[in-house]
Amino acid sequence: MLKKTLITFGVILTLLMSCTSEEKFVTTIASPNESNQIEFYLSDEGAPNYLVKHGNEIVIDTSAMSFDFKDQPPLKKGLKLIGYHINTVDETWEMPWGEQRDVKNNYNELVLELEEAEAPKRKFNIYFKTYDDGIGFRYEFLPQQGVDSLIITDEHTEFQLTEDHTTWWIPGDWDIYEHLYQTTKVSEIDALALRNHSNLSATYIPENAVNTPVTMRAANGVHLSFHEANLTDYAGMTLKVDTTTLKLTSALVGSEITGYKVKRALPFKTPWRTIQIADKATALIDSKLIVNLNEPNKLGDVSWFTPMKYVGIWWEMHTDKATWDYGMTMNEEGKWEDTGKAHGKHGATTENTKRYIDFAAANGFKGVLVEGWNTGWERWIGFDDREGVFDFVTPYPDYDLEEVVNYGREKGVEIIMHHETSATPRTYEKQLDTAFSVMKKYGIHSVKTGYVGPIIPAGEHHHGQWMVNHYRKVLEIGAANEAGINAHEPIKATGLRRTYPNAISREGLRGQEFNAWAADGGNPPEHLPIVAFTRMLAGPIDFTPGVFEISLPTKENNQINTTIAHQLALYVVIYSPIQMACDLPENYENQPALQFIRDVGVDWEQTIVLNGEIGDFVTIAREEKETGNWFVGGITDENERELTIDFSFLPEGKTFEAAIYTDGEGAHYKDNPTSISIESAEIKKGDSQTFKLAAGGGFAISLKVKK
């Protein structure tokens, strides 16, 4: 037997050749510091398999890779190697906005060219990239003679786990990510038990699968988070769980209308399948694997969008002070009419918007979101005939868009547009050009979109290929009109903000509003210490923090399950380039703690994760761009604890004037959530301080450079 080994650029390629058997090979590609490795081989039957090592430990054991198609045989075995390419990249690129200014993109890449040994001899490439913070791989389908497109009925990418990891997961729902995270062993995952949740407007869980990112911790402390990057013209991926063999398998979101998962014209590449790998939980947040696996900025200069804090007509609807609808009726011609019988609780009025603009201007906030401004809210959810309900340009009689835009401009405050589609993307697409033209006319540079309810047409789902393409279309038309998109009820974030920086934020999790109306009592204190290590790994979150009236007096059975100090800390812990001060203006009156929300940044030079364990606590420090000021936020679960912060991250030779917001005497998320202490101090590099966090509590620190 002749054995040939090639070692170059961190790649080891071993070809095993024999005159009595088919040629086969084993290849290993390592990350730049060799901490992570992917080993790939073709079995005796020509079936592709891979495994992943971290250090000397196997973290993903031998796992198969295959596809099923309509009108074609599966691509599962019978493959042979016909070529390969090796590449190393070490570059740094700049985020126009983000958790940090500069992102290091350093990886080793191996591209394997495979072909079927027998007819029809389809060609198929696999791309592997190894980073020091994880790995990614994707598939490329090449041209086929006489075939112009492929219909994928199933993708079978396997992830064979090596043990029964502790896992933080939400079910593989095809329509919504707004489930509470469960903490179980892999063998205990039961997504089907979470079907038909009463608090969700749309939900479909067809099998025992989890949505991504899904994060796990091994017994030795190694952390793994499974996700995908660059989700383009493809179905979203859930991960089917075999609780006996501890195997995860890709399960694409489908369509009952088409009966398949993906249809693509040849040639095409799939999204990246990703695994972030870290020796400690905090390193998962440090990872930039997901954005690095996306293409560079296609939009160029996006300075028309400015990261900002905002307020808005939103929370008053969730607390029953106001409504989205005006109280109009639809006539026989399908037109909305003012019958003169409006109920008088409409929130989005011209005068109320001016009140919010005044509050924003007085406190240095640059945006005001207005929900419920346009006609159609009387029939926006719960009706099967929602097509055509919203028109996105016609305001209710008590709202003058031009007047509020001009008033805001005089005050230095921009209106944030709101487009709730009621999950009717066809209606929205018919009006996209008109709706965004109106925004451009008035100089509105950001919009919150929404997709509440089951998708119409029935049979399509929020996370299927059809909707993935819809969300992308909105992003592209928004970019053409200099508008950033903050999508709610969205498809998952997969790092496309690198390519399309106008993908400014999104919901995609169980948000603050669940605290106001969920029948189960809202989000528990552990919710956001889990989110920081799961959902936040995908990208920015519009969580809408900042509730000060914790008890929610208008909602008898609900309360925010945090302290005020915890709410302040979220402005640092949960990242978004737009951050809402979501409470009512009157609830911020005479509240000294509002000063932290006034001061805290939204766009960062760098980010340092100081400590954290999933579901327990996390502390993050961020340096604001341009000013050199730092902000620190720490939160805990239902357990009180002490955390010591070492300020060695501060620059040498500078003193900072610190405003320190901590849980006050007797603070507790249930019994005494509004107790807060505010102190001043001078802090410099090398100092350290221990903070006591109440149950459900937190702390926030503003560190301004002393002049």
Side-chain angles (χ1 to χ4, degrees):
M1 175 180 289
L2 173 66
K3 182 174 180 178
K4 179 181 179 183
T5 303
L6 172 66
I7 303 180
T8 181
F9 298 114
V11 179
I12 303 174
L13 182 65
T14 305
L15 297 178
L16 302 177
M17 305 173 65
S18 168
C19 60
T20 59
S21 66
E22 290 288 327
E23 177 185 293
K24 69 176 183 178
F25 71 96
V26 178
T27 177
T28 300
I29 178 171
S31 65
N33 72 0
E34 299 187 354
S35 59
N36 297 314
Q37 303 169 50
I38 302 175
E39 184 177 297
F40 176 88
Y41 74 92
L42 289 174
S43 71
D44 291 338
E45 294 183 322
N49 291 270
Y50 78 99
L51 61 81
V52 180
K53 292 181 179 179
H54 178 65
N56 296 319
E57 299 290 327
I58 295 174
V59 292
I60 301 296
D61 213 335
T62 302
S63 302
M65 317 159 93
S66 66
F67 286 84
D68 292 337
F69 308 101
K70 181 180 179 181
D71 301 326
Q72 284 199 23
L75 192 59
K76 185 175 184 179
K77 59 184 179 179
L79 296 170
K80 63 179 181 179
L81 176 70
I82 60 172
Y84 63 89
H85 303 284
I86 300 165
N87 187 32
T88 289
V89 170
D90 188 358
E91 64 179 6
T92 299
W93 57 277
E94 184 174 332
M95 285 184 161
W97 53 263
E99 303 94 320
Q100 61 199 63
R101 184 187 298 269
D102 296 322
V103 178
K104 186 176 180 62
N105 186 26
N106 184 200
Y107 62 86
N108 290 323
E109 179 182 43
L110 174 65
V111 183
L112 298 174
E113 300 174 1
L114 305 171
E115 182 182 57
E116 288 180 302
E118 299 179 358
K121 293 196 172 184
R122 292 173 292 182
K123 292 183 178 179
F124 175 68
N125 294 343
I126 304 178
Y127 292 70
F128 292 103
K129 288 186 178 181
T130 50
Y131 292 78
D132 295 337
D133 56 340
I135 64 100
F137 58 92
R138 75 192 310 185
Y139 310 102
E140 182 178 24
F141 294 94
L142 299 173
Q144 298 178 28
Q145 188 172 0
V147 178
D148 61 2
S149 62
L150 280 182
I151 295 177
I152 299 173
T153 56
D154 277 300
E155 175 192 328
H156 305 285
T157 298
E158 296 179 354
F159 303 87
Q160 179 60 64
L161 305 176
T162 58
E163 62 180 80
D164 197 6
H165 301 313
T166 300
T167 304
W168 291 267
W169 59 275
I170 57 174
D173 197 317
W174 286 15
D175 274 306
I176 209 159
Y177 303 112
E178 296 177 357
H179 293 265
L180 281 175
Y181 278 88
Q182 308 294 309
T183 306
T184 71
K185 295 293 188 178
V186 175
S187 62
E188 299 167 340
I189 292 174
D190 184 4
L192 298 180
L194 301 176
R195 283 175 162 171
N196 304 316
H197 197 292
S198 61
N199 290 326
L200 302 180
S201 62
T203 177
Y204 181 65
I205 306 171
E207 56 190 336
N208 191 31
V210 296
N211 262 318
T212 67
V214 55
T215 301
M216 303 180 180
R217 182 178 62 216
N220 65 359
V222 171
H223 290 73
L224 307 173
S225 188
F226 299 83
H227 192 39
E228 58 182 315
N230 194 355
L231 176 53
T232 298
D233 197 7
Y234 205 82
M237 180 185 71
T238 70
L239 292 173
K240 186 166 51 179
V241 181
D242 187 322
T243 56
T244 301
T245 64
L246 306 180
K247 181 186 294 182
L248 310 178
T249 304
S250 59
L252 303 180
V253 174
S255 163
E256 286 89 55
I257 294 177
T258 66
Y260 56 74
K261 306 299 177 63
V262 175
K263 182 177 181 179
R264 289 289 303 270
L266 291 168
F268 70 91
K269 296 174 182 175
T270 71
W272 294 92
R273 279 61 190 99
T274 67
I275 310 173
Q276 288 161 277
I277 307 172
D279 290 319
K280 55 183 181 178
T282 55
L284 291 174
I285 302 175
D286 292 329
S287 170
K288 290 295 172 284
L289 178 73
I290 304 302
V291 286
N292 274 330
L293 284 169
N294 280 264
E295 297 172 10
N297 181 355
K298 287 185 176 180
L299 304 184
D301 180 18
V302 291
S303 57
W304 38 262
F305 167 73
T306 304
M308 63 179 168
K309 286 165 285 187
Y310 70 100
V311 295
I313 299 172
W314 177 75
W315 191 241
E316 61 187 74
M317 278 81 92
H318 289 291
T319 55
D320 294 341
K321 179 182 178 181
T323 65
W324 285 275
D325 70 285
Y326 172 80
M328 299 178 76
T329 59
M330 183 180 284
N331 64 24
E332 293 180 358
E333 288 76 36
K335 302 293 185 181
W336 291 104
E337 290 183 344
D338 181 3
T339 63
K341 298 179 181 178
H343 48 56
K345 289 187 68 177
H346 184 222
T349 69
T350 300
E351 293 309 309
N352 198 28
T353 304
K354 287 182 176 180
R355 182 172 73 95
Y356 276 84
I357 290 172
D358 289 341
F359 176 78
N363 291 281
F365 303 147
K366 297 301 182 183
V368 170
L369 167 72
V370 183
E371 293 198 9
W373 68 275
N374 58 323
T375 59
W377 288 89
E378 287 79 2
R379 294 177 63 86
W380 74 290
I381 192 170
F383 294 90
D384 294 332
D385 58 345
R386 286 171 282 133
E387 290 280 21
V389 166
F390 288 120
D391 69 7
F392 312 107
V393 295
T394 303
Y396 280 122
D398 56 354
Y399 184 75
D400 189 319
L401 177 59
E402 184 169 359
E403 184 176 343
V404 299
V405 166
N406 290 337
Y407 188 80
R409 187 176 293 118
E410 292 172 2
K411 300 275 187 172
V413 176
E414 181 178 311
I415 295 297
I416 298 174
M417 184 54 75
H418 184 240
H419 291 163
E420 174 54 60
T421 70
S422 64
T424 57
R426 294 180 300 192
T427 291
Y428 192 32
E429 288 192 14
K430 288 177 181 177
Q431 302 177 58
L432 276 176
D433 290 331
T434 302
F436 278 99
S437 293
V438 168
M439 289 179 56
K440 191 169 185 179
K441 171 186 174 182
Y442 288 115
I444 297 173
H445 292 292
S446 55
V447 57
K448 174 182 175 180
T449 60
Y451 297 84
V452 174
I455 294 292
I456 295 178
E460 294 294 350
H461 296 277
H462 284 76
H463 309 153
Q465 183 186 15
W466 190 71
M467 280 301 294
V468 167
N469 290 339
H470 167 79
Y471 290 117
R472 180 66 62 87
K473 184 175 184 179
V474 174
L475 200 59
E476 291 172 344
I477 292 179
N481 289 276
E482 297 187 344
I485 310 299
N486 171 19
H488 282 231
E489 298 80 39
I491 189 62
K492 68 182 81 172
T494 60
L496 282 164
R497 60 184 168 127
R498 180 185 181 189
T499 313
Y500 296 93
N502 69 317
I504 53 177
S505 196
R506 71 189 69 206
E507 189 183 39
L509 85 164
R510 186 173 153 121
Q512 183 85 278
E513 67 273 17
F514 277 81
N515 292 317
W517 45 255
D520 57 11
N523 302 328
E526 70 167 9
H527 179 55
L528 292 170
I530 294 176
V531 163
F533 298 96
T534 51
R535 160 63 181 88
M536 197 170 75
L537 304 183
I541 299 173
D542 187 28
F543 182 76
T544 60
V547 176
F548 277 20
E549 193 175 60
I550 301 290
S551 63
L552 302 180
T554 61
K555 309 289 288 192
E556 183 178 351
N557 298 317
N558 292 83
Q559 176 180 314
I560 308 295
N561 292 315
T562 72
T563 65
I564 284 183
H566 184 122
Q567 289 287 312
L568 295 181
L570 295 180
Y571 288 92
V572 185
V573 171
I574 302 300
Y575 172 68
S576 178
I578 52 171
Q579 289 278 27
M580 188 179 198
C582 81
D583 212 336
L584 310 183
E586 55 266 33
N587 291 340
Y588 290 125
E589 290 180 3
N590 303 314
Q591 291 278 4
L594 179 62
Q595 189 60 46
F596 182 81
I597 305 179
R598 294 188 187 109
D599 291 339
V600 68
V602 285
D603 196 21
W604 307 107
E605 183 70 30
Q606 60 176 313
T607 289
I608 299 173
V609 187
L610 300 177
N611 56 50
E613 293 293 343
I614 307 173
D616 296 336
F617 63 94
V618 61
T619 307
I620 296 177
R622 304 188 195 266
E623 180 190 4
E624 187 178 24
K625 276 185 182 177
E626 313 306 335
T627 68
N629 296 331
W630 284 81
F631 299 88
V632 182
I635 59 175
T636 186
D637 60 1
E638 70 280 3
N639 299 303
E640 65 177 40
R641 67 183 76 241
E642 290 187 348
L643 295 175
T644 299
I645 303 304
D646 179 354
F647 291 94
S648 59
F649 58 84
L650 294 174
E652 197 77 59
K654 290 186 177 181
T655 300
F656 290 80
E657 296 176 335
I660 303 171
Y661 303 77
T662 57
D663 294 314
E665 186 70 27
H668 188 281
Y669 75 94
K670 277 188 177 180
D671 304 326
N672 191 14
T674 59
S675 177
I676 189 166
S677 173
I678 305 173
E679 297 180 349
S680 299
E682 288 191 355
I683 293 177
K684 62 183 181 301
K685 184 181 180 69
D687 290 344
S688 66
Q689 189 167 340
T690 298
F691 300 94
K692 183 177 180 180
L693 286 69
F699 68 95
I701 309 172
S702 167
L703 293 155
K704 295 184 178 181
V705 179
K706 187 175 181 180
K707 304 299 185 182

